[in-house]
Amino acid sequence: MPSTFQPPLPLRSETPSAWAEAALADPEALLSDHAHCEKKAALSALTLARSFGNASRASGLLVRLAEEEMDHFRRVLDALQGFGWTLRPDRGNVYAQSLHRLAAKGLLDRLLIAALIEARSCERLWLLERAATGHPVLGSAPWLAFLLELERCEAGHALSYRGLAEERFGAEARTRLDWWLDREAEVVQGLPWRSTVH
Ligand SMILES: [Fe+2]
Ligand SMILES: [Fe+2]
């Protein structure tokens, strides 16, 4: 396991490692929230695919990305069941909702928000993976390996979304991402720590 984290995007607010201890206080709630996040990531990717036209390369990439999120969703559900837990109701993702409230540039912002959510998820999964080592339930080798797999996959998704934004919008995407990196840092710093990924 690497000792330092390299986020796929240059996030401007580093999550303290103590966050992971707080998030692990209620692992059933944490996994439930993560399951809902994976499901919403799949739905979001499919919705974005429609914006690119069904036959486009971008659409194909987004459909494959949605398949990966569905695979994550199913496996987090399997893990919940394996631990003897139940999927709790979706309490909503205040982090994602806060970002979407700031959006003003249609598809460009939707792609960049998706990239930022993936990058932040990646950072948080890395912290969870480190904190879960030695945890009585979540410290098992298969679970830690799954967290690592998720972290790497979400990093790839962050780069895919940023790449799609740059392909479609060019220099405007880079300028807008710079603006979004500050907004994302403000949003994430303003949220209380709970047993959720964000
Ligand atoms: Fe995922
Ligand atoms: Fe993802």
Side-chain angles (χ1 to χ4, degrees):
M1 190 189 303
S3 58
T4 55
F5 175 72
Q6 293 293 325
L9 301 183
L11 297 174
R12 293 177 182 165
S13 172
E14 186 178 339
T15 301
S17 56
W19 165 84
E21 302 295 337
L24 285 168
D26 185 347
E28 185 174 357
L30 177 64
L31 262 67
S32 292
D33 174 75
H34 191 58
H36 291 299
C37 285
E38 296 287 4
K39 175 187 62 188
K40 283 180 265 192
L43 289 168
S44 168
L46 287 177
T47 304
L48 282 165
R50 276 199 315 207
S51 301
F52 284 91
N54 288 334
S56 68
R57 188 194 67 82
S59 172
L61 186 152
L62 286 164
V63 170
R64 279 195 300 280
L65 196 155
E67 286 175 343
E68 290 174 0
E69 304 293 23
M70 284 302 295
D71 176 66
H72 297 167
F73 176 43
R74 178 188 57 75
R75 290 164 69 193
V76 176
L77 289 179
D78 288 348
L80 268 167
Q81 196 173 30
F83 291 132
W85 298 332
T86 310
L87 179 68
R88 295 196 190 159
D90 185 359
R91 294 191 291 173
N93 188 321
V94 180
Y95 165 74
Q97 290 163 1
S98 300
L99 293 176
H100 281 287
R101 266 199 295 275
L102 297 169
K105 289 186 178 284
L107 179 60
L108 173 58
D109 278 353
R110 285 158 59 213
L111 289 167
L112 293 176
I113 289 171
L116 288 163
I117 293 174
E118 296 282 355
R120 183 60 67 184
S121 301
C122 184
E123 183 216 33
R124 296 279 172 100
L125 288 164
W126 184 80
L127 289 171
L128 285 174
E129 182 199 348
R130 287 169 66 89
T133 304
H135 188 276
V137 179
L138 299 179
S140 71
W143 175 253
L144 293 176
F146 182 43
L147 282 178
L148 181 64
E149 181 190 335
L150 285 177
E151 174 203 324
R152 289 179 175 166
C153 195
E154 313 310 1
H157 293 169
L159 296 177
S160 293
Y161 280 122
R162 185 181 67 180
L164 287 172
E166 289 180 352
E167 273 174 40
R168 172 65 77 99
F169 297 97
E172 185 187 5
R174 288 183 280 281
T175 306
R176 188 67 173 164
L177 177 60
D178 184 63
W179 181 86
W180 269 116
L181 284 164
D182 282 338
R183 300 294 84 70
E184 195 274 345
E186 291 162 6
V187 165
V188 85
Q189 284 169 9
L191 293 175
W193 289 354
R194 304 184 304 165
S195 285
T196 59
V197 176
H198 303 117

